[in-house]
Structure formats: C-alpha cells, structure tokens
Amino acid sequence: MSTNSAAQAQAAAQKSARRLPPELNIFLVLIGIALVYEILGWIFVGQSFLMNPQRLTIIILQVSVIGIIAVGVTQVIITGGIDLSSGSVVGMTAMFSASLAQASTWPRALYPSLTDLPFIVPVAVGVGVGLLAGFINGQLIAKTKIPPFIATLGMMVSARGISKWYTKGQPVSGLTDQFNFIGTGIWPVVIFLVVAVIFHIALRYTRYGKFTYAIGANVQAARVSGINVEAHLVKVYAIAGALAGLAGVVTAARAQTAQAGMGVMYELDAIAATVIGGTSLAGGVGRITGTVIGTVILGVMTSGFTFLRVDAFYQEIVKGVIIVAAVVVDVYRQKKRKT
C-alpha cells in the first residue's frame, strides 16, 4: 500500500514538474547572469549593475531590433530551417525605406520628387522589400529543394550587395521627423513586444502555428496529414523577411540615417537569442516567450561586459562559446526526449 502511495506521489510530482513552463529555466538563467554582474560590479567597479534605470532602459532598447528579427528566425528554425540573410536584409531595407523618408529641406535627396512622404510609405516599402526577400528564400527552399543554409546564404550576400549598389555606398540622411519618431523613446521596444505577442498567439493558437510545428517535428508526417508543406514554408520565410524589413526600418529611424553596413552580424545574434531561448535547431520545438527571454539575456550579457570594461573581442569570444553551449544543451535535450 505504501509502495503504491509512493509511486503515485512520484507520478504526481513528475506530472506537476511537466506543467512548469519550459521558459522558467531560461528565466532563471537570466536572473542568475544579472546577479553575477551585480556582484562583479560591486567587486571590480564599485557600482550596482541592476540598480541603474538608465542602463536597464538602454539594454531593452538595444535588444529590440534583434528581438524583432529573432521572432521571425524562431519560426524558421521551428520548421527545421535556418535564415542567414536577416542581417543583410536589415541593411537593404534600411536603405530603401530611408530613401523614401527624406525631407525636402535635405539638399541631396535621392528622390527629390518623393520627399516629405507620410511615414507609412517608407515603412511599407521597407517591410515589403523584406517580405520579397523572404519570399524568394522560401521559393528557393520549397521549389528547388536547396538547403536553407545555402539559399539564405545566397540572399545574405545578394542583399548586402544591393544595399551598397542602391546608393553607390553613400549613406542616406536627412530623414523626416515623422519617420525618425519610430526609433525614438520606447517605441522600438513597443514594436518588438507587439510583434512578439502577435506571433506568440499565432504559433500557439492558430492553424499557422500547428502547421509550423508539424513540419519541424516530421515533415513527411505533415505532408501525409494534408499540409501543403511547400506553401507553408514560403509563408514562414516571407514572414521572417518582413520582420527583418521592419527591423531595418526601426534601425534607420533610431540612427536617423541609413548605411549599407547596417545589420552586420544581426542574423547570428538573432539565431543565438532563439537557441538560448530554447528553440531546437532540430525543429519542432520552440516558443516566442523563450526567444524574448533569450534576447534579453544577450542584451544583459553585452551590457554587463561593457559595464565591467571587458574588451569587445572578448565579448565576441564569450558569445560564441555561449551559442555552442546552448546547442550542446539542445542536443542533450533531444537525446533525453528520445530515450
């Protein structure tokens, strides 16, 4: 009798543990990293890391653009794919949107007859160009069966080349106040959070999300169950491209200028945030809430290194180690799940 009771108690405990959200562990990691920086701050700098509202605000603002990209990258990785083009798409869309956001008072406007346009026009163009880039990625992957790594690598190189060709390498400045307002204050964070909420709901409660997870878990089973895998992949990559385009618009508005070199390495930061947030590179597993926490972890780490006056190249080394460690943990989780 006591044996049965013990077994029931153990089963109940395991069931209760399974009910805990998977993001809880990631959130605890975030708290742990922040506390480590707090302790090191008092030891080496003589200041508090967490009790500085300005620093915390800067952290949130810095990760907002990466977070917007990461929301799209999360959906791509859940399908079992990868997107290496998002950083270059940010640079390309920043150039296109900024060229249509110039003020008439700027003497070197790229399109003198298209100045002082309503801010919605350059925003729509930026998102639209990103959508087109993602659509091309999806078509290449779905129709020609090119591996996502190769297809998006090609787009990464091409998009960066287009951004340089568009203005012959010259920056685009003289943007309207209406357009620049998008990148001021808390607006980048608001845009990030709205995007995250929309796609959290889409992935968790809609058919779009069910199809996305099904393709990542077992593409053959998804196809047999009646899902148009090719069409859905095109949709996922197009959405990822559109979000990269939106990130490009926000980047240009924050900087109040656009340059062809914008967005360099953003794709790796977005992938890192996604993987740290618990999305499996094997596909079929991942949540937007985890990606949001992973994005904040990256921001806290970067700000913490700067706070401790650690050189930038050490930051890149540590970031690389953390990405590899996150993938190793993911592989371990996959093996444990199978057994």
Side-chain angles (χ1 to χ4, degrees), residues 42 45 66 81 116 149 182 185 200 220 227 240-241 281 316 334:
W42 284 112
V45 185
I66 298 298
D116 292 330
F149 180 90
I182 301 170
H200 170 73
Q220 294 303 327
I227 298 174
L281 288 172
E316 297 298 326
Q334 293 298 320

Side-chain angles (χ1 to χ4, degrees), residues 239-251:
I239 288 173
L243 290 176
L246 178 60
V249 171
V250 174
T251 300

Side-chain angles (χ1 to χ4, degrees), residues 232-310:
H232 192 79
L233 284 176
V234 172
K235 190 183 300 183
V236 170
Y237 279 91
I239 288 173
L243 290 176
L246 178 60
V249 171
V250 174
T251 300
R254 279 194 66 196
Q256 300 186 6
T257 185
Q259 299 179 14
M262 282 180 163
V264 174
M265 300 293 285
Y266 279 16
E267 65 278 356
L268 297 185
D269 285 343
I271 293 170
T274 301
V275 174
I276 290 171
T279 300
S280 172
L281 288 172
V285 177
R287 290 190 182 185
I288 298 298
T289 46
T291 297
V292 171
I293 298 172
T295 303
V296 176
I297 287 175
L298 274 185
V300 169
M301 285 173 48
T302 302
S303 180
F305 283 134
T306 304
F307 171 65
L308 295 174
R309 300 181 179 88
V310 177

Side-chain angles (χ1 to χ4, degrees), residues 51-118:
M51 299 297 108
N52 187 324
Q54 184 179 4
R55 180 177 296 110
L56 297 178
T57 302
I58 291 173
I59 290 173
I60 297 172
L61 286 172
Q62 285 177 336
V63 302
S64 57
V65 170
I66 298 298
I68 294 170
I69 301 170
V71 170
V73 170
T74 298
Q75 299 169 69
V76 168
I77 294 179
I78 288 174
T79 66
I82 197 74
D83 188 358
L84 299 178
S85 66
S86 52
S88 295
V89 171
V90 166
M92 179 175 66
T93 55
M95 297 294 284
F96 276 89
S97 60
S99 67
L100 295 173
Q102 290 182 295
S104 57
T105 55
W106 186 251
R108 297 188 301 277
L110 196 62
Y111 300 112
S113 60
L114 294 175
T115 54
D116 292 330
L117 294 173

Side-chain angles (χ1 to χ4, degrees), residues 61-227:
L61 286 172
Q62 285 177 336
V63 302
S64 57
V65 170
I66 298 298
I68 294 170
I69 301 170
V71 170
V73 170
T74 298
Q75 299 169 69
V76 168
I77 294 179
I78 288 174
T79 66
I82 197 74
D83 188 358
L84 299 178
S85 66
S86 52
S88 295
V89 171
V90 166
M92 179 175 66
T93 55
M95 297 294 284
F96 276 89
S97 60
S99 67
L100 295 173
Q102 290 182 295
S104 57
T105 55
W106 186 251
R108 297 188 301 277
L110 196 62
Y111 300 112
S113 60
L114 294 175
T115 54
D116 292 330
L117 294 173
F119 80 96
I120 195 65
V121 175
V123 171
V125 168
V127 174
V129 171
L131 179 71
L132 178 61
F135 178 79
I136 294 172
N137 281 338
Q139 287 288 341
L140 287 173
I141 293 163
K143 303 301 183 184
T144 67
K145 309 302 179 184
I146 294 175
F149 180 90
I150 300 300
T152 58
L153 179 64
M155 179 58 71
M156 179 183 76
V157 177
S158 299
R160 187 65 67 189
I162 290 172
S163 62
K164 294 176 181 177
W165 160 83
Y166 186 60
T167 60
K168 303 298 185 288
Q170 298 300 312
V172 180
S173 302
L175 311 185
T176 63
D177 293 337
Q178 195 180 37
F179 179 81
N180 289 336
F181 181 76
I182 301 170
T184 59
I186 203 71
W187 281 109
V189 180
V190 172
I191 294 171
F192 167 40
L193 294 178
V194 169
V195 166
V197 169
I198 289 172
F199 285 100
H200 170 73
I201 294 171
L203 283 177
R204 191 158 188 183
Y205 301 108
T206 70
R207 190 169 65 169
Y208 169 81
K210 293 177 181 177
F211 286 3
T212 302
Y213 284 109
I215 291 171
N218 190 323
V219 66
Q220 294 303 327
R223 188 173 279 112
V224 169
S225 66
I227 298 174

